[in-house]
């Protein structure tokens, strides 16, 4: 097994199925232009082969499907069905939820047990201002349909001072009422936000979020798994919420994540643009592919930073 001096190894694989997205969120893309697929995106069969090889090489047992927006690509159905056949302990999906009603059957039939839905506001007008596309009612319907089908839903919200700061508590109320764990994601210095004034103006720290939540709820910090991205808090008798505190309390020292971009590049760290292309490896027979992968994985693990420093790379390329 490949382990670094902090004891970090790869356990979690994040697969970006496509760089394309049906939204153009203000914090993700600078110019409001919808994202398109990357050049030379891999077909579902090749991504599945990459996952199988990476699993054999690392023993990873958790996989998250992300993007771009994974539900917009035609290969979503084949990939989801295929990946659910692999011997992984945990498969999850991160989506903006806009296509959940349209993809309900394939998702439910796949047997997937949990889904993270990104939702920054419960206000339909603000929704269009942040996502610059889509509609809130369809996402809410998707959330209901997933819960009715027995799939565990978490909601991810990125709080921003100038946009949705007034919804920190209303979003929590909404989630607690539905038995959903809300996770606030601290705004990250990715892409155009790196060194930008709008990052400084909009950023809300974990402390600032807890101050707002504390005005309504009493909470206590609770356990989170060793390599969890979120710091978790229990509200007695009501439920749990989390904060993905990339800035305030980075989880880099216990990070077990490895990423594949939609065009087959391997990334060891979200805060490092260094990557390696898998193309040649996927063309080799298994035993040679695995030997070559070992070297790539050692290098990818060495790319892991000790703290999140931000990165010019946009989340769409490597998945959030
Ligand atoms: N389209 C899918 C979705 O919306 O969940 C998956 C990809 S999206 C890049 C994954 C997550 O990254 C979303 O929850 C999104 O809010 C978050 N994200 C993107 N850019 C971010 C930034 N600069 N800071 C914090 N979170 C960000």
């Amino acid at each position: 097994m490949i382990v670094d001096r902090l004891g970090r190894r790869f356990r979690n694989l994040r697969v970006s199925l496509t760089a394309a997205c049906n939204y153009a969120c203000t914090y993700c893309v600078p110019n409001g232009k919808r994202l398109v697929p990357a050049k030379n995106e891999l077909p579902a069969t090749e991504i599945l082969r990459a996952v199988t090889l990476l699993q054999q090489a690392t023993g990873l047992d958790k996989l998250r499907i992300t993007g771009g927006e994974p539900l917009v690509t035609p290969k979503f159905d084949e990939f989801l069905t295929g990946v659910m056949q692999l011997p992984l302990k945990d498969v999850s999906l991160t989506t903006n939820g806009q296509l959940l009603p349209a993809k309900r059957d394939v998702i439910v039939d796949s047997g997937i047990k949990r889904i993270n839905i990104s939702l920054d506001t419960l206000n339909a007008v603000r929704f269009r201002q942040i996502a610059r596309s889509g509609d809130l009612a369809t996402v809410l319907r998707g959330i209901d349909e997933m819960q009715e089908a027995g799939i565990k839903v978490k909601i991810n919200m990125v709080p921003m001072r100038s946009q949705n700061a007034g919804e920190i508590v209303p979003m929590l109320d909404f989630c607690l009422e539905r038995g959903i764990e809300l996770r606030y994601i601290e705004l990250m210095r990715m892409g155009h936000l790196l060194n930008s004034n709008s990052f400084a103006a909009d950023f809300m720290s974990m402390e600032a979020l807890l101050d707002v939540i504390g005005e309504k709820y009493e909470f206590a910090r609770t356990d989170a798994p060793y390599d969890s991205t979120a710091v978790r808090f229990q509200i007695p008798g009501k439920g749990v919420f989390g904060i993905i505190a990339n800035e305030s309390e980075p989880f880099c020292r216990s990070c077990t994540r490895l990423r594949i971009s939609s065009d087959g590049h391997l990334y060891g760290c979200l805060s490092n643009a260094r990557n390696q292309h898998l193309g040649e490896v996927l063309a080799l027979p298994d035993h040679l592919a695995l030997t070559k992968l070992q070297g790539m994985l050692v290098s990818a693990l060495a790319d892991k930073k000790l703290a999140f420093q931000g990165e010019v790379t946009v989340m769409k390329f490597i998945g959030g």
Side-chain angles (χ1 to χ4, degrees), residues 25-27 119-136 157-158 160-168 170-171:
C25 297
T26 51
Y27 48 76
L119 178 65
D120 297 318
T121 174
L122 293 169
N123 174 306
V125 174
R126 192 170 294 126
F127 181 97
R128 295 281 301 185
Q129 285 163 356
I130 297 175
R132 297 191 278 210
S133 187
D135 76 293
L136 175 65
M157 169 192 189
V158 180
M160 291 163 283
R161 281 200 193 279
S162 69
Q163 303 195 46
N164 55 357
E167 291 191 77
I168 290 165
M171 283 285 292

Side-chain angles (χ1 to χ4, degrees), residues 83-271:
V83 89
M84 291 304 291
Q85 312 301 318
L86 299 179
L88 290 158
K89 261 199 213 145
D90 180 45
V91 177
S92 55
L93 166 70
T94 298
T95 172
N96 61 34
Q98 191 62 220
L99 291 173
L100 279 175
K103 291 283 176 187
R104 183 201 170 277
D105 290 351
V106 71
I107 291 172
V108 173
D109 293 349
S110 77
I112 196 167
K113 301 214 165 31
R114 52 191 207 93
I115 294 190
N116 287 12
I117 299 171
S118 304
L119 178 65
D120 297 318
T121 174
L122 293 169
N123 174 306
V125 174
R126 192 170 294 126
F127 181 97
R128 295 281 301 185
Q129 285 163 356
I130 297 175
R132 297 191 278 210
S133 187
D135 76 293
L136 175 65
T138 310
V139 178
L140 296 181
R141 184 149 54 83
I143 293 171
D144 286 346
E145 288 182 7
M146 293 300 110
Q147 287 202 289
E148 278 157 24
I151 294 176
K152 189 171 169 201
V153 171
K154 284 184 186 166
I155 290 184
N156 290 340
M157 169 192 189
V158 180
M160 291 163 283
R161 281 200 193 279
S162 69
Q163 303 195 46
N164 55 357
E167 291 191 77
I168 290 165
V169 169
M171 283 285 292
L172 184 55
D173 295 338
F174 172 90
C175 289
L176 292 172
E177 276 162 23
R178 288 164 179 76
I180 293 175
E181 183 171 329
L182 175 62
R183 303 192 328 166
Y184 302 96
I185 308 182
E186 280 185 357
L187 189 62
M188 292 162 75
R189 290 170 285 166
M190 297 292 290
H192 67 292
L193 291 186
L194 188 67
N195 306 321
S196 80
N197 291 338
S198 68
F199 173 81
D202 269 333
F203 176 74
M204 294 194 73
S205 66
M206 174 156 80
E207 196 185 351
L209 293 168
L210 293 178
D211 280 350
V212 176
I213 295 164
E215 285 169 17
K216 172 150 185 189
Y217 292 110
E218 289 204 358
F219 54 81
R221 194 161 167 159
T222 183
D223 288 344
Y226 156 76
D227 58 353
S228 165
T229 46
V231 182
R232 296 174 84 233
F233 299 87
Q234 177 91 44
I235 303 178
K238 297 216 176 280
V240 172
F241 69 92
I243 301 181
I244 302 181
N246 296 290
E247 299 282 335
S248 306
E249 201 170 309
F251 52 89
C252 305
R253 285 177 168 267
S254 60
C255 176
T256 59
R257 280 157 199 83
L258 175 68
R259 292 181 156 82
I260 318 180
S261 63
S262 55
D263 55 358
H265 288 86
L266 205 57
Y267 288 81
C269 179
L270 192 58
S271 191

Side-chain angles (χ1 to χ4, degrees), residues 270-284:
L270 192 58
S271 191
N272 191 341
R274 242 187 61 78
N275 63 82
Q276 304 164 81
H277 193 233
L278 282 172
E280 195 191 312
V281 174
L282 299 178
L284 295 171

